[in-house]
């Protein structure tokens, strides 16, 4: 960790202080006296991160920097990296396949596919308004309903065999009748209930075929009348024992017209 600082001829006392700060940051201060061969792969990765940050560079390139860390430590280190960036003004370029990590760390995301940038924007822009099917599917989970535009006005209407209904969306420029499109809807934007909702748009019926309980969230896979599978992420606001929806239940799915995003690129 001190190597770069020694090369810069920093005073010894300052080096010790900086090294101590960096080791505390990556939670390796109790291993300070160990040699590299006495550390695990994840610990060595944290040493590399501490060594890079110790010099307070103007630009830091991080290639999968947290991949070997356990989930809790990875989340904590993400926030630490954000704090360091904010305090010292270092620009980080982070390469990662972890979408949640990218969304947490970045103020600006570039999504790449086969060496080509598909979209650049803030985490909110890229997640909420994907520019292509690839971006929509790569960042988080998404439901895609293929269809054809039957009304480009307000509201914009897409007739979808996948959904089994006419989907209603916000109007969008450059869309005409007959355009083949897909409508992307994030799983957390969909409400699921056993009773039919009062709204008369973007409402479809299906059967629950799978439930994955993940503590704070339950994931439902619902087969629509058309056979199309839809994923719904529902916040667990009550205990599982009191869950209102179970396997094989007939359910209603509903979402607002603002929740759907129109994608015009071909699959």
């Amino acid at each position: 960790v001190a190597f770069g600082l020694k090369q810069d001829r920093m005073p010894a006392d300052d080096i010790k202080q900086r090294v101590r700060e960096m080791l505390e940051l990556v939670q390796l201060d109790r291993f300070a006296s160990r040699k590299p061969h006495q550390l695990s792969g994840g610990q060595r990765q944290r040493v590399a991160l501490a060594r890079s940050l110790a010099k307070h560079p103007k630009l830091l390139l991080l290639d999968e920097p947290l991949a070997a860390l356990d989930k809790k430590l990875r989340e904590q280190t993400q926030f630490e990296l954000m704090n360091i960036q904010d305090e010292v003004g270092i620009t980080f370029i982070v390469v990662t396949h972890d979408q949640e990590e990218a969304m947490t760390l970045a103020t600006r995301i570039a999504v790449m596919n086969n060496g080509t940038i598909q979209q650049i924007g803030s985490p909110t822009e890229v997640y909420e308004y994907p520019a292509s099917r690839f971006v929509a599917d790569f960042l988080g989970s998404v439901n895609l309903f293929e269809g054809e535009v039957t009304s480009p006005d307000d509201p914009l209407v897409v007739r979808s065999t996948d959904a089994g209904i006419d989907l209603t969306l916000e109007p969008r420029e450059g869309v005409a009748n007959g355009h083949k499109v897909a409508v992307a809807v994030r799983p957390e934007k969909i409400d699921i209930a056993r009773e039919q909702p009062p709204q008369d748009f973007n409402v479809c019926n299906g059967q629950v075929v799978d439930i994955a309980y993940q503590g704070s969230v339950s994931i439902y896979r619902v087969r629509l009348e058309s056979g199309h599978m839809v994923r719904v992420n529902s916040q667990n606001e009550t205990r599982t024992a009191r869950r209102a929806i179970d396997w094989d239940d007939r359910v209603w799915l509903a979402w607002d017209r603002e929740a759907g995003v129109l994608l015009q690129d071909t699959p």
Side-chain angles (χ1 to χ4, degrees):
V1 175
F3 178 78
L5 305 177
K6 291 177 180 178
Q7 294 297 105
D8 290 344
R9 301 185 183 280
M10 178 182 284
D13 289 344
D14 292 344
I15 290 177
K16 288 182 181 180
Q17 177 63 24
R18 183 74 60 80
V19 169
R20 188 180 303 111
E21 292 173 356
M22 292 301 101
L23 291 180
E24 288 176 355
L25 171 64
V26 296
Q27 298 187 13
L28 287 178
D29 46 312
R30 59 196 176 101
F31 301 113
S33 60
R34 290 195 181 184
K35 300 296 183 181
H37 71 275
Q38 297 174 308
L39 300 174
S40 68
Q43 290 168 340
R44 293 182 191 182
Q45 193 165 13
R46 280 185 270 168
V47 169
L49 180 60
R51 184 171 62 244
S52 300
L53 292 173
K55 294 190 65 173
H56 290 306
K58 293 181 180 179
L59 176 66
L60 185 62
L61 174 61
L62 304 170
D63 188 1
E64 301 279 1
L66 311 178
L69 306 185
D70 63 72
K71 182 176 176 60
K72 276 194 173 182
L73 183 56
R74 185 165 65 247
E75 291 178 350
Q76 180 177 340
T77 308
Q78 288 173 4
F79 285 108
E80 293 292 350
L81 286 174
M82 293 165 60
N83 291 335
I84 291 172
Q85 195 280 331
D86 184 61
E87 290 174 9
V88 301
I90 298 175
T91 297
F92 288 0
I93 299 178
V94 183
V95 180
T96 179
H97 289 83
D98 187 324
Q99 295 95 330
E100 290 185 3
E101 184 173 292
M103 300 282 285
T104 301
L105 289 175
T107 54
R108 196 162 182 243
I109 292 179
V111 181
M112 298 185 70
N113 181 27
N114 293 326
T116 302
I117 294 177
Q118 300 287 313
Q119 185 174 357
I120 298 177
S122 69
T124 301
E125 291 169 346
V126 175
Y127 183 82
E128 298 288 355
Y129 304 101
S132 67
R133 296 167 191 251
F134 175 83
V135 175
D137 189 49
F138 183 76
L139 276 181
S141 301
V142 71
N143 298 295
L144 292 177
F145 301 96
E146 303 292 339
E148 179 180 318
V149 176
T150 58
S151 173
D153 303 321
D154 188 2
L156 190 151
V157 179
V158 174
R159 179 159 298 158
S160 172
T161 303
D162 287 345
I165 59 173
D166 287 348
L167 299 176
T168 304
L169 299 91
E170 293 288 295
R172 178 171 170 176
E173 293 183 0
V175 179
N177 279 344
H179 277 186
K180 301 294 183 181
V181 297
V183 177
V185 184
R186 296 291 185 187
E188 69 274 12
K189 310 291 188 186
I190 301 176
D191 293 325
I192 182 171
R194 298 182 66 176
E195 303 295 330
Q196 184 172 357
Q199 67 189 63
D200 56 0
F201 55 87
N202 297 336
V203 176
C204 47
N205 185 257
Q207 183 176 24
V208 176
V209 295
D210 286 307
I211 302 175
Y213 175 73
Q214 296 186 349
S216 61
V217 175
S218 286
I219 299 173
Y220 298 90
R221 294 180 71 239
V222 179
R223 181 184 291 112
L224 302 183
E225 298 290 346
S226 65
H228 191 70
M229 297 296 295
V230 177
R231 170 174 169 150
V232 181
N233 294 359
S234 180
Q235 195 76 21
N236 289 326
E237 298 177 348
T238 60
R239 293 185 181 274
T240 307
R242 293 159 52 196
R243 183 168 55 202
I245 298 173
D246 216 328
W247 279 269
D248 298 327
D249 282 352
R250 300 295 302 182
V251 294
W252 293 89
L253 307 181
W255 61 92
D256 294 334
R257 73 179 197 172
E258 294 85 359
V261 177
L262 195 72
L263 303 174
Q264 299 189 67
D265 62 319
T266 57

